[in-house]
Amino acid sequence: MTTAKKKLILCLCSVLLMFSILVKPVFAIEVQNKASILQKIDNYVENNMKVNNIKGAALAVANNKEVFYAKGYGAYSDGREITGRTPLPIASLSKSFTALAVLQLVEKGKIDLDAPYASYFPDLSPEDERVRTISVRNLLNQTTGFNDKVNPDMTHSPQYQSLQEINQSLNTVKLANDPGTAYSYHNPNYQYLALLVEKVSGQNFSAYLENNIFQPLGMSHTFNVSTTQQINENLAIPRGHYLLFGHPVKQAEPLWFIDGPAGIISTAEDMAKWMLAQSNNLLLDPQLMEQYHTAGQSGKYGMGWLAEEDAHGGRMISHSGIFWTYKAEETIYLDEQLGITMMFNSGLNAFVDYSAFVDGIAKIIKGEKAKFPIVNDRNMETIMILLVVATILWSVYLYYRINKSNKVITTGKLIFSSVGRLFPTLILLFLSPLATFIGAGRVLPWFGLWTTMPSLIIWLIVLSLVNIMYMVWRFRLNYHA
């Protein structure tokens, strides 16, 4: 071997040695960083679950075209550990799947987004002729003119038994607004879309999702149900809870026919694959995918997603899912290729900020500090317990003071005082319409109101009873003195 060749080989070896020395620390830092990030995420989730009295949850994170993290937290009621493969209801996150199914059929030329929905169902004979002008796009964008007041959903009794039966309700409903003029979130819009998928594809809706979305994405542990009864009967799904004075109460989900708007059951591992699909164009033409991720004409709600920009101007799609004993949150930062989904086995609660979980995890991944919400279930339930105890003690004090003073007040003062003391009772009586007003037109059943704010309702009941008892004591003192 010549001297020149020996020198060349020596130089190459030296370069390779230096490269190996430099690469090892970088690789170690990358591993350490990811490990550090995952530890911070675990600490944040576990602490947030603890202060909010949440028994179980599952987290999915997709980042840079890979499943970054999929993990379960907590346990079933029987002690089984919740994992990244534990099935949990995703509730209204299902709407984005239904919208994708519709767009796939648009791509095949079987559905026209701007065609009237009724044109696919010629047997419909609606009393309100405006129903005939509702387009498929209106259904996707929630701008049909329906709302829960004119077309009852969760409060419909008895509950519908099939999508076909729900479709026939279009013959009698009277729209609240002209189609396309106003946004109103309404679950039946996506039930009609599920039936449309069945009609034009020739497949059962659950079968269509399995064959055209779940299987192609490798979501092998994801499936669709038609009613909440199928959730309650499935022992693989952790039982849901509502929170009463900070104590998780195990509760079966009340009967509701769901399907298209909220019927999917999935796992953390599968939801990570779903989020990755939002940027790989595997299931939809790029042009339609752009429409799929775009806001609607009447607001942020597009096609199964809320589409907006994050604080840095990046494109973001999101949705929340609500059952009375389960909850789900999902946010995907499209430009950053970061997606986060969390599923919980506790339901909607007035004191729990579920969206804070996703926001905090996103901050951790982006290298920012995640903050814990000041308002949490532990703090607020402590306040509610103190309020109930203070109200009972106050009633004892009032009774003692009235009996001791025996002071008679004027009729005018008695009436004025009584009107003010009836205020908590009036809130209880009108709690449902108040919740509808605050919830942008959503009509909630009383069971839903109870599971959302049980401690507040109990305090209002106690306060109402105390005030009514006080009024009775006052009237007896005034007119039997």
Side-chain angles (χ1 to χ4, degrees):
M1 185 180 293
T2 65
T3 305
K5 285 185 178 180
K6 288 181 179 180
K7 288 183 178 180
L8 179 60
I9 292 171
L10 183 61
C11 288
L12 286 172
C13 290
S14 300
V15 170
L16 288 172
L17 181 61
M18 290 178 63
F19 181 75
S20 65
I21 292 171
L22 289 172
V23 166
K24 284 183 179 179
V26 171
F27 179 75
I29 289 170
E30 287 178 349
V31 172
Q32 184 181 0
N33 281 347
K34 183 170 182 179
S36 175
I37 288 170
L38 297 185
Q39 186 61 56
K40 289 177 181 177
I41 289 174
D42 285 346
N43 291 340
Y44 180 77
V45 170
E46 289 166 0
N47 288 333
N48 219 353
M49 286 176 63
K50 187 175 181 180
V51 298
N52 283 296
N53 299 301
I54 296 171
K55 297 290 286 184
L59 165 66
V61 180
N63 190 31
N64 292 330
K65 300 181 180 181
E66 69 172 1
V67 176
F68 185 77
Y69 204 33
K71 183 179 178 179
Y73 301 87
Y76 290 72
S77 301
D78 61 9
R80 282 180 291 165
E81 181 184 357
I82 293 176
T83 71
R85 292 189 175 182
T86 300
L88 284 163
I90 65 171
S92 287
L93 271 58
S94 305
K95 288 183 174 68
S96 55
F97 289 82
T98 302
L100 176 61
V102 171
L103 290 173
Q104 285 180 334
L105 294 167
V106 169
E107 185 176 355
K108 293 177 181 178
K110 294 184 177 182
I111 293 177
D112 181 346
L113 283 175
D114 296 307
Y117 172 80
S119 66
Y120 296 92
F121 298 93
D123 58 324
L124 287 175
S125 53
E127 295 176 6
D128 189 336
E129 284 298 316
R130 292 177 296 175
V131 171
R132 295 188 183 278
T133 68
I134 296 171
S135 69
V136 176
R137 192 185 299 274
N138 291 149
L139 290 166
L140 288 165
N141 292 163
Q142 306 268 22
T143 57
T144 54
F146 294 128
N147 60 34
D148 289 5
K149 291 182 180 179
V150 301
N151 191 31
D153 175 27
M154 290 174 284
T155 55
H156 187 274
S157 184
Q159 275 287 299
Y160 293 112
Q161 300 299 307
S162 68
L163 291 173
Q164 290 75 16
E165 187 180 347
I166 291 170
N167 206 44
Q168 291 305 308
S169 68
L170 293 174
N171 289 331
T172 55
V173 68
K174 184 174 176 61
L175 299 186
N177 303 288
D178 291 337
T181 61
Y183 164 80
S184 182
Y185 190 91
H186 187 54
N187 281 306
N189 289 332
Y190 275 70
Q191 290 170 331
Y192 303 135
L193 288 170
L195 183 61
L196 179 61
V197 169
E198 290 192 345
K199 174 81 172 182
V200 303
S201 71
Q203 300 180 58
N204 171 273
F205 182 65
S206 294
Y208 181 91
L209 294 177
E210 175 67 25
N211 296 331
N212 295 277
I213 299 178
F214 302 154
Q215 284 187 7
L217 292 180
M219 299 175 70
S220 56
H221 297 93
T222 300
F223 56 95
N224 183 67
V225 300
S226 296
T227 72
T228 53
Q229 183 176 349
Q230 292 170 275
I231 296 174
N232 297 332
E233 293 172 349
N234 192 325
L235 298 180
I237 302 172
R239 182 53 61 91
H241 299 78
Y242 71 92
L243 302 172
L244 176 61
F245 289 119
H247 177 68
V249 179
K250 188 168 62 173
Q251 175 68 51
E253 186 69 23
L255 180 62
W256 181 32
F257 188 93
I258 41 177
D259 226 336
I264 292 176
I265 315 297
S266 191
T267 68
E269 290 183 0
D270 280 3
M271 288 305 292
K273 296 173 184 176
W274 165 249
M275 291 186 290
L276 289 173
Q278 302 312 310
S279 58
N280 60 21
N281 294 327
L282 287 178
L283 298 177
L284 204 59
D285 171 271
Q287 186 177 356
L288 279 173
M289 185 66 85
E290 185 69 25
Q291 288 193 56
Y292 182 42
H293 294 157
T294 301
Q297 295 178 339
S298 298
K300 297 177 182 178
Y301 202 94
M303 299 182 179
W305 298 103
L306 283 167
E308 50 193 323
E309 292 185 352
D310 63 17
H312 305 291
R315 294 177 304 149
M316 181 175 74
I317 53 176
S318 64
H319 213 293
S320 63
I322 299 170
F323 279 152
W324 306 122
T325 61
Y326 298 96
K327 189 75 171 65
E329 293 284 341
E330 181 178 45
T331 299
I332 301 174
Y333 303 87
L334 293 171
D335 295 332
E336 300 177 51
Q337 294 190 338
L338 170 64
I340 303 166
T341 300
M342 278 210 72
M343 300 167 285
F344 307 86
N345 73 337
S346 57
L348 180 66
N349 186 277
F351 302 143
V352 181
D353 184 0
Y354 288 100
S355 63
F357 282 85
V358 172
D359 293 341
I361 292 165
K363 286 183 181 297
I364 291 171
I365 293 172
K366 295 176 183 180
E368 303 172 18
K369 185 175 181 180
K371 296 181 180 179
F372 289 93
I374 297 175
V375 176
N376 58 54
D377 191 67
R378 176 192 287 174
N379 293 344
M380 296 306 297
E381 296 289 14
T382 300
I383 292 172
M384 295 311 304
I385 292 170
L386 292 174
L387 280 173
V388 171
V389 172
T391 302
I392 294 171
L393 293 175
W394 180 56
S395 70
V396 174
Y397 167 73
L398 286 176
Y399 181 75
Y400 171 79
R401 193 180 70 174
I402 289 174
N403 283 341
K404 186 176 181 181
S405 66
N406 286 323
K407 182 180 179 182
V408 176
I409 62 176
T410 64
T411 301
K413 285 185 177 181
L414 182 60
I415 293 173
F416 183 78
S417 172
S418 298
V419 170
R421 291 184 180 280
L422 284 173
F423 190 66
T425 306
L426 292 174
I427 293 177
L428 274 174
L429 293 175
F430 293 97
L431 189 58
S432 181
L434 279 172
T436 298
F437 176 75
I438 295 170
R442 304 294 302 281
V443 178
L444 307 182
W446 262 101
F447 179 88
L449 291 171
W450 167 253
T451 57
T452 301
M453 53 186 87
S455 56
L456 181 60
I457 290 174
I458 288 174
W459 176 60
L460 287 171
I461 291 172
V462 171
L463 185 58
S464 297
L465 290 174
V466 167
N467 284 338
I468 290 170
M469 288 170 61
Y470 177 84
M471 288 160 54
V472 170
W473 293 334
R474 265 295 169 198
F475 272 97
R476 288 183 62 185
L477 180 62
N478 263 38
Y479 299 108
H480 291 84

